[in-house]
Structure formats: structure tokens, C-alpha cells
Amino acid sequence: MTLASDLVADLDRLYRASVERLQRAMSAYIADGTVPDPASRTDGSFAYPEIRLTYKGGVDRPTPLRSFGRMVTPGEYKISVTKPAIFAEYLIEQLTLLIEDYDVTVEAVEGRQEIPFPYVIEPGHALSLDEVSATELSRHFPATELAHIGDEIADGIWVAQDDTRPLALFDGLRTDFSLARLRHYMGTPAEHAQRFVLFTNYHRYVDEFVRWAGTQLGEGSRFTSLSGAGGITISSGDDIDKIISDSAWRRHQMPAYHLMADDRTGITLVNIGVGPSNAKTICDHLAVLRPEAWLMIGHCGGLRPSQRIGDYVLAHAYLRDDHVLDDVLPPEIPVPAIAEVQVAMAKAAEIVSGQSGEEPQAPPAHRHDRHHRRSQLGTALFEVRAALLAQPRGRHRHGVRDDRRAGLSLPSPLRHIAVRLGQATPRRTEAAGPGQPLLRACDQRASADRYRDVRAVAARGGQAAQPQAARVRRAALPLSAHIRSGSRTNALRIRNHF
């Protein structure tokens, strides 16, 4: 039986050979103008290696309960791979599962998808572009063409050109593109990113994380160093505040800090700034690194009167009103949290606080209690990582999840999704005035007693009586009968399921 480790070794050998051929050809052109042989652009000399898999099917075997490493349709599969040494652990894990559980044949071969020349010019490499322009090089060597880079596979809109199916969501070209963008956005080598990722848009959280991370370094620690934006590396005993203040992190759009471990089980924190577009961009690029989980941390106010300053709030759904994902995910579909992450976070909160969440909490004795709770961030991060690693190995990493596993226990907060769905339509139309259509595509009308004083409402130009309702209302969003009916049907289905 073919070993996955041997396949990855073959991939690495083929990839290094292609990179060396491309670098030699570029060096010759820069030195004396030698143009590469035109045949090298078609015979795979400068191309990524490929994994090719044939699944015969027809064997009656139990279907694995995991949500990844599964084969459904017999046929031919392939995917190009870049930097196999970086992704060796992931590739070996995935290929081993396929080889052991399915009747497949797998091989590593030379591919035909070319490596763009910017991706083989590493920092500090001997190649110098001072005497030649990138435009001139692109006439003779493969260059980055954005038209060939996309998320058609991940978004489910990929169209087959032949009988071969994609084996993964990201090919070599898409992965190299994201690695380059991560280096640009984060200000650190993409290879330093760890498998557990935190996002924030408040710099004070970055300061807290960096100071805490510095205390985790030293003799006996499994963490090796702290990598930061601007190319800084912090070791045990360094003056963290001085190094951070002198660094060039402000030049980067989304500066990152990585508390690194040898097995990449450390923690990465990225300051993504403000706006859902930044969040989507960094997630799209980090996805190629196969992280275990990522969390967004921040602060908010005015959720409900029972909450106090310093309370931790664990969100269980994302009510989208920013339209960033509308092209790939219809707005009437909610985005719930991943069950394993919710369970891990809830368990970590109980361990850190020593409370189960059922008993009443006494008000803080003094205002400094909230600072004490904030100082427990490091402990919570460790507990979350441990709880996630203790979960079954059904990691989603990337691909469509399938949580319909036997014995999966969903956290109780997810049961409120049905309530949120049922409330979605009334919230969007709360600002409808008396006599105005409650739903634009239906015959329902807002009743006159929706407001205490109809004439006062009319004098205000039909504005909602509750100011916050007007703020959450979607501006002129038409809600059709089909959407309304489908949403409420889904809500009822979820209620019955739970």
C-alpha cells in the first residue's frame, strides 16, 4: 500500500525541482538575456506538482463519521500543490485517511499549472530585479494572472472542464497567492501563522496579548518565540514594550503576532481593523493554512440590562446586515457558530470562572474586578485550545461541514437560532408606518395601533416610534412572500429538530 508520507516526499521533490529550474532560467535571462526554451512553458518544467487520485467505488464499506477525508463519487481527482514541506502534516493526515478507508490509487506527478515567477523570489534570494522589470520578465516566464485565481471550488460554482474533479478547495496557484497576500497584510511570514487564530479590531487587545505572550516564553515552555509585524522576533527576556514601540507594524493593513510552537499549536492574533470586508479578506487568505479554529474578540454594549461591564459574551449566530457574503450565501440564511467551538468556549469559561452559568452572580465588589477578568484572557486561551484538541477529529478546516454525526451534542445556545429566525422579519419591518405595507410583496398592513399616537407618527414623516428599530431596519429591503415563507418554515423545522 502506498504511504502518504512517501507521496508527500515525492511532491516536495517535484516542487523543488520546478522552482530550481525556474530560478536558473531567470538567473540566465537576467545575466545575459538568455530566453528560456519555449517548450519549458508547456512540458511542466515550471509547473506545480499534482496529486492524482482514482476512486473506483463499488465497495460496500461503512461511511466514516468525520466531516473531512471522505469520498462520495467514483472518478478521477487531482489538485496542484505548492510548498509541500509546509503542508506536510496536513497532506499526510488527509491522504492517509483516504488510502486506508477507500479503494483508491494515489500518485504524485508533474503538473501543468505554472508557478508565477514572483513566488520563487524569496526575501534575501540571490536573484535581483534591479536591472530588469517585472513586465519584461512576464514576457518569458509565468506571471500572476488574477483571472486564473479564484474561489470557484470553495464557493461551489466550479464548472468541470473534463471528467476530472478537484481533490481540494485550493490549488497551488490560489495557495501561493494567499501566502503572498498574508505576508503583505500581516507584516510577518505566512509560515509563522499558527493553527489557532484570534481576530480583533482594538489595539489594546493586541497590547494585552503581546504582554501575555511574552510571559509564556522561557525555559521549559513549548513556545519557541513571538513573531510580530514588521519582522520582529521576541524571545524570553526581551524588552517587549520597547521592541513593539520601535517596530514598523503601522505600515501593515492587518498586523499580526504569532506565539509560535514547533507543531503550530500556538496562537496567532490579527488586528483586522474595522469593517466586514477586512474580515472576509483575511479569512479567505488564512483558510489556505488549514487553521483549527478562529475567533473574533472585541467589545460591545447595550445587549441587555442584566449584563455588566467586563462580562464575557459568547455569540451564537451572525445576523448579516453588511451584504459582504450575499453573492455566495443568500441573506436569509443565518450563519451559526461551529458547535465544537461553542462547546470549547463554554467549557473554558466555566473552568476559568469556576461557575457553571446557572448560579446567580453577585455584583463586583469594586470596579477593578473587570481588569482582573480581562487578565484571565491567557488562561482562557489555553483552555479553549485544550478543549478543541479534545474534540473528535472532525475538523472542518475547509470544505462543507457535516455535523449530522451520531451522538453530536449541540450546545444549548444554538437552540435560540430558531427564535432569531422568527424575529428576523418583524425586526426588519418594525419601522413600517400605519397603513403602510408590512411586507412589500404581501397584502398585510401595519395596524393603526402600532403607535400610541398615529398623528404624531405622521407628523414625523412615518418614522418608527422606537429609534433603535429604525437603526436595525434594512433600508428599503424587499421581502418577498417566498423568502418570508421559507424563513418561517426553516425556523419551525429547527424548532422541531431541537
Side-chain angles (χ1 to χ4, degrees), residues 131-305:
E131 300 178 359
V132 62
S133 67
T135 302
E136 183 178 352
L137 287 175
S138 64
R139 297 193 184 105
H140 308 287
F141 300 95
T144 305
E145 294 287 348
L146 294 181
H148 300 158
I149 303 173
D151 286 330
E152 291 81 7
I153 303 174
D155 292 342
I157 57 176
W158 173 80
V159 178
Q161 303 297 324
D162 50 29
D163 294 333
T164 305
R165 296 178 174 85
L167 185 61
L169 297 181
F170 306 113
D171 58 17
L173 188 58
R174 169 67 167 81
T175 301
D176 261 344
F177 174 72
S178 286
L179 295 178
R181 300 314 298 164
L182 286 173
R183 188 181 303 111
H184 169 76
Y185 287 133
M186 300 192 304
T188 65
E191 295 81 1
H192 289 183
Q194 302 297 290
R195 286 159 50 186
F196 298 91
V197 184
L198 293 173
F199 298 127
T200 186
N201 51 12
Y202 293 99
H203 196 271
R204 64 187 181 92
Y205 289 152
V206 177
D207 295 337
E208 291 286 340
F209 175 80
V210 171
R211 292 191 184 98
W212 168 80
T215 64
Q216 305 303 309
L217 301 174
E219 186 177 355
S221 174
R222 67 182 189 85
F223 298 112
T224 57
S225 62
L226 177 64
S227 171
I232 65 172
T233 301
I234 299 175
S235 302
S236 177
D238 291 341
D239 187 344
I240 296 177
D241 291 335
K242 183 178 186 302
I243 294 175
I244 295 298
S245 62
D246 293 342
S247 67
W249 62 267
R250 294 177 180 84
R251 292 195 306 225
H252 303 282
Q253 183 174 342
M254 290 179 269
Y257 296 87
H258 315 284
L259 181 58
M260 297 190 295
D262 289 333
D263 56 357
R264 292 189 60 230
T265 57
I267 303 171
T268 286
L269 182 135
V270 186
N271 186 351
I272 63 174
V274 179
S277 295
N278 268 7
K280 181 182 184 301
T281 297
I282 198 68
C283 287
D284 285 345
H285 294 310
L286 280 173
V288 305
L289 293 175
R290 285 80 170 176
E292 295 281 350
W294 51 45
L295 302 172
M296 176 70 187
I297 56 175
H299 65 257
C300 55
L303 292 181
R304 53 175 59 113

Side-chain angles (χ1 to χ4, degrees), residues 26-27 29-31 121-122 124-133 137:
M26 292 176 61
S27 297
Y29 181 80
I30 294 173
I121 304 176
E122 300 293 342
H125 195 275
L127 286 176
S128 175
L129 301 184
D130 295 338
E131 300 178 359
V132 62
S133 67
L137 287 175

